[in-house]
């Protein structure tokens, strides 16, 4: 039998086994095909951006590794992304940071405009890849002391407020062009390395700055504002202004999307348990699916217990229409295109596993108090033939099955990325 025939035969058998549990595999695959993961641009170039020297990574962020071939221009990054998308089943989005504009000369963060992202908007239209956006509150001289929107200096605060306002206008233009809302996520690194004398004052300044940025109501069919919390960072180990409690309260009181990043909490704390609680009080959630190893190290997403738990929580709570799934990792120790493919395929695979659960049966057993049967079915799910369904989905959407995609990455590396020099090139 051909490989395609094997894939189809395995899928038919798997479908019968799932059907015996009351699971409609076709419906699960249809629902999966409707989910767009927001793939993050910064894996492709180690969070360098295209601003030149001003964009040198720092201010609480670090990328490790020196694998050759990082993207140095917007065109190179777009080309790499197109290869990555060709390896991932489904139609997905791109999450773009403000430092990835095409500036053609020095443009400071408070002066950026739609014109600097027109190339991305045109590419988005031509490739049918919708855009999300992020202001960039790091890797800048005015963030070098660890503070931006919560800075004690009113002038520096205003600079970053103006940056946020500019980014909202850019996000709205992206949303208008693509015909659906561009999610614009605000994360700031502000905090202290050692114990502060006042935790209150910076938080008051941050809230005031955010209120100024969000003062103008923009059409929600063009852009949605999200705010992202963090427990600690490099250089802010003792205190981060924008904590989980701060942004939870801010999102509730200002009707904003709350962003939960899998690496932004205690090492033993997980975001899967927070989803149902947060969605009782905020309209929507943005998830940054990542993998922290002992700290917020943003390792490539693997098929881990927590990844599965995140997707199970979304499906079991019927939250797919209220949760935006994005990725956030950057690994310069391996091929960058491969990293995108590994992480995004794993996120989709975990979501498929959740969609293939007999959710209603499990919840009915729970309502009936039959916790024994609930546990039995949950455990049986772990050895169900997910791989056969996943392979069929990949085959039917025209992307490589199994690890076959790695050969395409190696060919692209041999012909394109390995020939890039280490020196940066302005877009």
């Amino acid at each position: 039998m051909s490989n395609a025939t094997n894939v189809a035969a395995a899928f038919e058998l798997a479908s019968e086994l799932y059907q015996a549990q009351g699971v409609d595999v076709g419906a699960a695959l249809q629902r999966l095909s409707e989910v767009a993961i927001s793939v993050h641009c910064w894996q492709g170039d180690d969070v360098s951006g295209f601003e030149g020297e001003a964009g040198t990574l720092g201010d609480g962020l670090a990328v490790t590794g020196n694998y050759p071939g990082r993207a140095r221009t917007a065109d190179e990054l777009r080309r790499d992304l197109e290869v990555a998308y060709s390896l991932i089943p489904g139609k997905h989005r791109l999450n773009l940071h403000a430092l990835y504009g095409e500036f053609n000369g020095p443009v400071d963060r408070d002066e950026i405009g739609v014109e600097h992202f027109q190339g991305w908007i045109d590419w988005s239209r031509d490739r049918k890849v919708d855009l999300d956006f992020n202001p960039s509150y790091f890797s800048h001289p005015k963030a070098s002391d660890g503070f931006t929107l919560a800075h004690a200096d009113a002038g520096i605060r205003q600079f970053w407020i103006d940056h946020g306002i500019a980014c909202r206008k850019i996000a709205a233009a992206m949303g208008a062009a693509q015909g659906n809302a561009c999610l614009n996520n605000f994360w700031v690194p502000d905090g202290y390395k050692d114990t502060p004398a006042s935790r209150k004052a910076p938080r008051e300044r941050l809230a005031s700055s955010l209120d100024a940025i969000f003062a103008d109501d923009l059409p929600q069919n063009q852009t949605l504002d999200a705010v992202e919390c963090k427990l600690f960072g490099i250089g802010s180990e003792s205190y981060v202004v924008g904590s989980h409690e701060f942004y939870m309260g801010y999102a509730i009181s200002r009707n904003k999307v709350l962003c939960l990043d899998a690496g932004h909490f205690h090492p033993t704390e997980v975001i899967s348990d927070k989803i149902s609680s947060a969605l009782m009080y905020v309209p929507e959630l943005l998830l940054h699916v990542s993998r922290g190893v002992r700290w917020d190290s943003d390792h490539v997403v693997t098929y881990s217990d927590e990844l599965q738990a995140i997707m199970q929580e979304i499906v079991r709570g019927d939250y797919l229409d209220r949760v935006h799934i994005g990725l956030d990792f950057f690994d310069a120790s391996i091929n960058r295109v491969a990293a995108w493919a590994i992480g995004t395929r794993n996120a989709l695979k975990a979501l498929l596993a959740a969609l293939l659960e007999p959710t209603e049966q499990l919840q009915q057993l729970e309502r009936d108090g039959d916790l024994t049967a609930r546990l039995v079915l949950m455990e049986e799910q772990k050895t169900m033939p997910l791989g056969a369904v996943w392979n069929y989905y990949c085959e039917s959407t025209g992307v490589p099955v199994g690890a076959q995609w790695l050969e395409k990455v190696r060919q692209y590396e041999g012909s394109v990325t390995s020939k890039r020099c280490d020196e940066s090139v302005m877009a």
Side-chain angles (χ1 to χ4, degrees):
M1 290 192 299
S2 69
N3 184 61
T5 303
N6 287 333
V7 169
F11 173 73
E12 290 301 321
L13 179 57
S15 296
E16 291 179 12
L17 293 173
Y18 279 109
Q19 185 63 47
Q21 288 197 343
V23 175
D24 185 336
V25 175
L29 289 176
Q30 177 59 38
R31 192 70 182 97
L32 181 65
S33 71
E34 297 166 356
V35 174
I37 304 289
S38 195
V39 179
H40 55 309
C41 74
W42 49 93
Q43 166 58 43
D45 79 322
D46 308 339
V47 207
S48 297
F50 306 129
E51 296 175 309
E53 289 301 319
T56 302
L57 187 62
D59 309 326
L61 294 172
V63 174
T64 56
N66 56 1
Y67 200 91
R70 76 171 183 86
R72 304 158 301 171
T73 69
D75 285 337
E76 287 182 349
L77 184 58
R78 287 190 282 258
R79 187 175 180 183
D80 293 354
L81 281 161
E82 289 169 12
V83 175
Y85 284 125
S86 74
L87 308 174
I88 300 163
K91 200 69 180 173
H92 302 289
R93 302 174 71 91
L94 175 65
N95 195 8
L96 194 66
H97 244 287
L99 52 82
Y100 287 82
E102 295 172 89
F103 302 109
N104 298 315
V107 179
D108 216 341
R109 300 270 177 92
D110 61 339
E111 299 172 337
I112 62 174
V114 177
E115 66 273 18
H116 301 117
F117 296 87
Q118 191 60 50
W120 287 105
I121 293 172
D122 293 343
W123 176 83
S124 167
R125 180 197 61 240
D126 295 341
R127 299 296 187 273
K128 295 181 172 56
V129 176
D130 291 334
L131 300 174
D132 294 315
F133 201 57
N134 310 259
S136 301
Y137 287 95
F138 55 87
S139 302
H140 189 279
K142 288 182 177 166
S144 61
D145 63 356
F147 280 85
T148 60
L149 290 178
H151 206 288
D153 185 307
I156 293 179
R157 281 202 312 279
Q158 189 60 53
F159 173 88
W160 289 113
I161 289 170
D162 291 341
H163 174 62
I165 292 171
C167 287
R168 292 188 77 218
K169 293 177 181 177
I170 294 166
M174 290 175 172
Q178 64 199 23
N180 63 76
C182 171
L183 193 61
N184 190 23
N185 182 52
F186 284 73
W187 170 76
V188 300
D190 299 30
Y192 284 116
K193 182 177 182 66
D194 214 336
T195 307
S198 173
R199 298 177 186 271
K200 174 184 175 183
R203 285 178 174 147
E204 290 176 334
R205 292 194 293 266
L206 177 56
S208 177
S209 295
L210 290 169
D211 286 345
I213 291 171
F214 300 138
D216 289 341
D217 290 330
L218 299 179
Q220 290 196 356
N221 63 347
Q222 294 181 4
T223 184
L224 294 172
D225 302 308
V227 289
E228 179 180 355
C229 61
K230 193 166 188 177
L231 173 66
F232 79 99
I234 300 173
S236 58
E237 291 84 355
S238 297
Y239 169 71
V240 169
V241 183
S243 65
H244 174 59
E245 293 75 15
F246 174 90
Y247 278 125
M248 184 74 175
Y250 192 89
I252 292 169
S253 61
R254 272 70 164 182
N255 197 38
K256 299 300 181 185
V257 178
L258 178 67
C259 178
L260 300 177
D261 186 299
H264 283 195
F265 296 88
H266 290 283
T268 57
E269 193 175 8
V270 294
I271 66 170
S272 55
D273 185 52
K274 303 180 187 300
I275 292 171
S276 61
S277 294
L279 283 171
M280 291 180 66
Y281 307 106
V282 298
E284 298 177 55
L285 283 180
L286 166 63
L287 302 184
H288 275 187
V289 180
S290 183
R291 179 168 59 102
V293 178
R294 297 188 175 86
W295 65 293
D296 179 35
S297 47
D298 290 311
H299 283 58
V300 176
V301 170
T302 58
Y303 194 72
S304 64
D305 289 346
E306 172 58 3
L307 178 65
Q308 295 173 68
I310 289 169
M311 300 307 178
Q312 287 167 347
E313 187 67 16
I314 295 171
V315 173
R316 291 172 183 174
D318 194 21
Y319 294 134
L320 273 171
D321 294 333
R322 295 177 61 196
V323 173
H324 306 266
I325 304 172
L327 304 178
D328 184 3
F329 54 79
F330 34 90
D331 189 343
S333 69
I334 64 173
N335 182 288
R336 294 168 182 82
V337 174
W340 270 321
I342 294 166
T344 314
R345 286 171 69 107
N346 276 328
L348 289 166
K349 196 181 300 181
L351 180 55
L352 176 59
L355 290 166
L356 289 171
E357 279 192 340
T359 304
E360 177 53 38
Q361 186 179 359
L362 288 169
Q363 294 180 349
Q364 185 59 53
L365 290 169
E366 188 166 278
R367 290 190 292 269
D368 294 341
D370 191 348
L371 307 187
T372 300
R374 182 190 66 181
L375 182 58
V376 168
L377 285 187
M378 284 183 172
E379 289 302 299
E380 285 300 312
Q381 281 297 113
K382 295 178 180 178
T383 52
M384 288 292 286
L386 167 67
V389 181
W390 170 255
N391 287 342
Y392 176 82
Y393 182 58
C394 290
E395 180 82 24
S396 65
T397 55
V399 304
V401 173
Q404 294 174 2
W405 61 265
L406 182 57
E407 182 57 32
K408 185 172 181 179
V409 170
R410 285 174 171 159
Q411 291 173 1
Y412 182 67
E413 180 176 30
S415 62
V416 178
T417 59
S418 66
K419 301 183 184 304
R420 294 173 183 166
C421 64
D422 293 333
E423 296 177 2
S424 296
V425 179
M426 290 299 295

